[in-house]
Structures are given as C-alpha cells and as structure tokens.
Amino acid sequence: QVQLVESGGGLVQPGGSLRLSCAASGFTLDDYTMGWFRQAPGKEREGVSCISSSDGSTYYGDSVKGRFTISRDNAKNTVYLQMNNLKPEDTAVYYCATPCSGSWEVWVYGYDYWGQGTQVTVSS
C-alpha cells in the first residue's frame, strides 16, 4: 500500500535549519510529482514546494523562496525539504503529498496521498 512518512521536525531557534524527509513506499517516487504543504493552528493549508517527476523543475511558495530547497534521492525513494533561516512564522505541521502543482490554493486540497506530518516549531 502507498505510504508517506515524514520525519526530521523539531524545535529550532530563529535563523536555524532543519531537513525534513519524506520516505515513500508502495510506489516508485520517481514517477510522481511530490510536494510539501504546511498547516499552522487556526490557518488554512499553505503550499510550500513541489518537485516535478520529469525534468526536476521545482516550485516554491513566495514566503519560503530562497530559504527552502526541495530535492529527491531516487535510490532511497525519499524526498527532502531543506529549511534554512527559519522564522517563527514557519511554525506548522509539515506534510508531504502527491501529486502536486504550483497552483497552491488548488493543490493543497487536491492531492491523492499524504503522510501524517512532522511538527516544526521555530522559537527562541
């Protein structure tokens, strides 16, 4: 069966870094676009990033562009989200999901598979 398992979240100070991982099983990750979205308490889901299954094109939400980087390791069937220069407003539960697109307002409610999420807390 299809499973997506996120890991790597935790507590970090502002300006710090974390790398989130999304381990996929039950399908070949290379054949799917893969994205990350996040949800903070009381807020709507927010698209963070998406990576293409074909040419490797990447897409980022404006609030994380230049700070976050999405990548994949085909041998490990894993997608990563490198998060640098973290800010308190980045605090949320982060989820990986497939498929994805750069149309964030539509995609965050239109994916087929998703994981249970990993908590990221940015605080001093």
Side-chain angles (χ1 to χ4, degrees):
Q1 64 184 40
V2 174
Q3 282 191 304
L4 298 172
V5 181
E6 301 96 335
S7 62
L11 175 64
V12 64
Q13 294 186 9
S17 298
L18 288 172
R19 188 171 77 155
L20 306 184
S21 299
C22 176
S25 61
F27 68 100
T28 301
L29 194 66
D30 296 353
D31 295 333
Y32 293 81
T33 56
M34 180 62 64
W36 292 89
F37 70 87
R38 64 189 183 186
Q39 187 162 29
K43 294 188 176 181
E44 297 284 340
R45 300 171 198 168
E46 180 183 14
V48 174
S49 187
C50 178
I51 186 166
S52 172
S53 63
S54 54
D55 61 3
S57 299
T58 57
Y59 307 89
Y60 298 94
D62 289 340
S63 63
V64 306
K65 191 174 298 183
R67 299 188 297 121
F68 291 9
T69 303
I70 189 171
S71 63
R72 63 160 61 121
D73 186 330
N74 294 334
K76 296 182 178 180
N77 220 37
T78 301
V79 173
Y80 303 97
L81 184 68
Q82 179 66 45
M83 309 165 66
N84 297 327
N85 192 25
L86 285 161
K87 304 175 180 180
E89 52 263 42
D90 295 319
T91 296
V93 178
Y94 284 71
Y95 301 85
C96 63
T98 187
C100 65
S101 76
S103 299
W104 309 117
E105 68 280 358
V106 176
W107 169 67
V108 295
Y109 296 101
Y111 47 83
D112 294 322
Y113 302 103
W114 68 99
Q116 295 302 303
T118 185
Q119 175 71 48
V120 173
T121 302
V122 184
S123 176
S124 60

